[in-house]
Amino acid sequence: MSHDEARKIRLIMSLRGRGIVSSAVLGALERVPRELFVDPAFLDQAWEDRALPIAAGQTVSQPFVVAFMTQALELTDRTKVLEIGTGSGYQAAILARIARRVYTVERHAELLQVAERRFAELKLHNLHTRHGDGWKGWAEQAPFEAIIVTAAASEPPQALLDQLADGGRMVVPVGNTSDVQRLVRFRRHGDRIEEEKLLDVRFVPLVRGPARADGTQ
């Protein structure tokens, strides 16, 4: 058994011990090679349960948070998912191993291009990408049974709530970047939105509009 394989097994066992009980989620984390999504400088930490920096001042989330958010979406192989914040592509790849179709939006064009190459390498053909403003979602493909936001919104984005199908779930970190944010699950019941607070997290902010070509906000 390789060193990475042993680390992966330890990580999966640790996640199970922390309440990740979905076999679909654990299976996806086992099948997606996280080392493909981290900066080469941090390759030795790919299977540790920690967030790691990537380009454009972003991060690849720690595996526990990825697993927890994915489990909270209650996905099946029939689910149509919207992800806001493609980043390295790791979370999207996990979603694509479980759900029927995944639509992911990223404001940094250079991050999206790198993620798209990773998706192609993994032959994830049920994954669709867009360079754009995550606050606006992907209205042309709505409604979605599940929406996941991988950056902290100062308030729940109304456009995303509007794109949620009846019975759909949205998981999003809410709060100012100076504070500890709260991961919240919103569930649509007709015209009513039910809100459930899940746990404290820390994410980079969800910024409005696509990033400029020079990488500035």
Side-chain angles (χ1 to χ4, degrees):
M1 183 186 298
S2 71
H3 190 49
D4 268 358
E5 198 66 28
R7 283 184 171 184
K8 182 194 297 188
I9 290 170
R10 280 199 302 272
L11 175 62
I12 297 297
M13 295 302 290
S14 165
L15 297 178
R16 194 188 298 271
R18 294 181 67 187
I20 307 303
V21 295
S22 165
S23 58
V25 173
L26 292 169
L29 265 86
E30 196 168 352
R31 291 170 64 201
V32 173
R34 192 170 186 249
E35 66 272 14
L36 188 65
F37 296 88
V38 305
D39 187 292
F42 298 96
L43 206 53
D44 62 326
Q45 300 175 51
W47 288 102
E48 293 183 15
D49 193 20
R50 63 174 63 185
L52 297 171
I54 59 172
Q58 307 300 297
T59 60
V60 52
S61 295
Q62 74 177 100
F64 171 73
V65 173
V66 170
F68 186 95
M69 292 178 75
T70 305
Q71 182 169 272
L73 289 174
E74 302 170 359
L75 303 177
T76 72
D77 59 3
R78 306 294 296 168
T79 309
K80 181 180 177 183
V81 186
L82 172 65
E83 179 196 38
I84 302 302
T86 314
S88 70
Y90 180 63
Q91 174 72 78
I94 298 291
L95 297 171
R97 290 294 189 193
I98 306 171
R100 183 180 186 181
R101 288 196 302 276
V102 178
Y103 296 83
T104 182
V105 180
E106 173 56 53
R107 65 187 298 270
H108 291 280
E110 72 277 16
L111 284 182
L112 191 60
Q113 289 163 8
V114 174
E116 286 170 342
R117 289 198 293 271
R118 291 165 175 156
F119 300 152
E121 185 177 338
L122 293 173
K123 297 181 170 58
L124 296 173
H125 303 304
N126 61 335
L127 228 164
H128 309 277
T129 62
R130 167 181 276 188
H131 174 232
D133 183 352
W135 280 88
K136 295 179 179 178
W138 198 328
E140 299 90 333
Q141 294 296 339
F144 299 95
E145 287 92 33
I147 299 177
I148 182 171
V149 184
T150 62
S154 53
E155 60 189 19
Q158 187 59 49
L160 301 185
L161 290 171
D162 292 343
Q163 291 171 33
L164 203 55
D166 190 18
R169 292 80 55 201
M170 179 169 81
V171 175
V172 53
V174 179
N176 296 317
T177 54
S178 58
D179 305 325
V180 173
Q181 303 126 10
R182 180 63 58 87
L183 193 65
V184 181
R185 176 167 56 195
F186 296 91
R187 198 184 297 266
R188 176 176 287 284
H189 300 283
D191 294 331
R192 184 170 59 86
I193 300 290
E194 176 184 284
E195 179 178 335
E196 179 186 0
K197 295 178 174 63
L198 300 176
L199 80 163
D200 291 342
V201 290
R202 191 173 291 279
F203 277 85
V204 297
L206 181 64
V207 180
R208 296 178 189 272
R212 297 173 188 157
D214 62 4
T216 61
Q217 302 296 335

